[in-house]
Amino acid sequence: MAIVSLYVINKSGGLIFSKDFMETPRMDLNDTLRLASIWHSLHAISSQLSPMPGCTGIELLEADTFDLHCFQTLTGTKFLMVVEPNSPFIPVVLQKVYELYSDFVLKNPFYEVEQVIKCELFDEQLESLVRRYPNAGPQMGGYM
């Protein structure tokens, strides 16, 4: 099981981070921006159309060749992770990615909220988390 890519979308629907973890990139920049915009719209529409009260939007999209998981923060930032089908523990991994984002991006005094993420420490810790993923199990341990 493998993590293919990660996207972070701000509360306005703009793509602020994207990272491919496979050798060959799956999409070019225009397709990535289009994915972020479409996902943001579908997420908002699904939360309004849901017959279930309190629905916050789409959390999982399953396809034949990939699964797309979404974790939305209380501030509206969305973390999208494309993984191989039936990959285990992805909600736990997304929670860890959010912790990394909180620790290394939001606490960075040079980062402006809702802007493109360019933080070397975040990239390094994210790479480390993804490398550990297949063997880490549900706990995922600390990220340092």
Side-chain angles (χ1 to χ4, degrees):
M1 302 296 169
I3 296 172
V4 177
S5 53
L6 173 72
Y7 307 101
V8 181
I9 304 171
N10 66 18
K11 65 182 174 187
S12 303
L15 182 69
I16 58 174
F17 182 82
S18 69
K19 178 104 173 141
D20 289 318
F21 298 105
M22 304 299 252
E23 286 78 33
T24 56
R26 302 240 181 213
M27 295 188 294
D28 64 12
L29 181 60
N30 287 336
D31 289 338
T32 304
L33 291 169
R34 214 171 289 118
L35 169 71
S37 176
I38 291 170
W39 184 267
H40 177 74
S41 300
L42 287 175
H43 198 270
I45 291 168
S46 68
S47 65
Q48 293 174 358
L49 293 179
S50 174
M52 301 297 294
C55 176
T56 59
I58 303 170
E59 293 180 1
L60 173 62
L61 173 73
E62 294 178 344
D64 292 338
T65 57
F66 69 92
D67 288 349
L68 193 153
H69 291 259
C70 179
F71 173 76
Q72 180 173 315
T73 68
L74 294 175
T75 61
T77 302
K78 294 172 195 66
F79 293 83
L80 303 180
M81 189 170 279
V82 179
V83 298
E84 291 179 348
N86 302 313
S87 295
F89 315 120
I90 297 303
V92 175
V93 175
L94 281 169
Q95 182 65 41
K96 291 296 180 184
V97 170
Y98 177 56
E99 289 174 18
L100 292 175
Y101 170 77
S102 298
D103 287 345
F104 295 103
V105 176
L106 294 180
K107 293 179 183 175
N108 181 343
F110 301 107
Y111 177 69
E112 293 183 36
V113 178
E114 302 295 314
Q115 297 302 309
V116 174
I117 298 170
K118 293 189 181 289
C119 180
E120 193 174 318
L121 285 174
F122 176 68
D123 289 342
E124 291 170 3
Q125 295 299 319
L126 187 59
E127 285 284 344
S128 175
L129 178 69
V130 170
R131 276 194 311 271
R132 286 193 333 265
Y133 165 69
N135 303 317
Q139 280 28 33
M140 289 300 290
Y143 48 81
M144 296 297 278

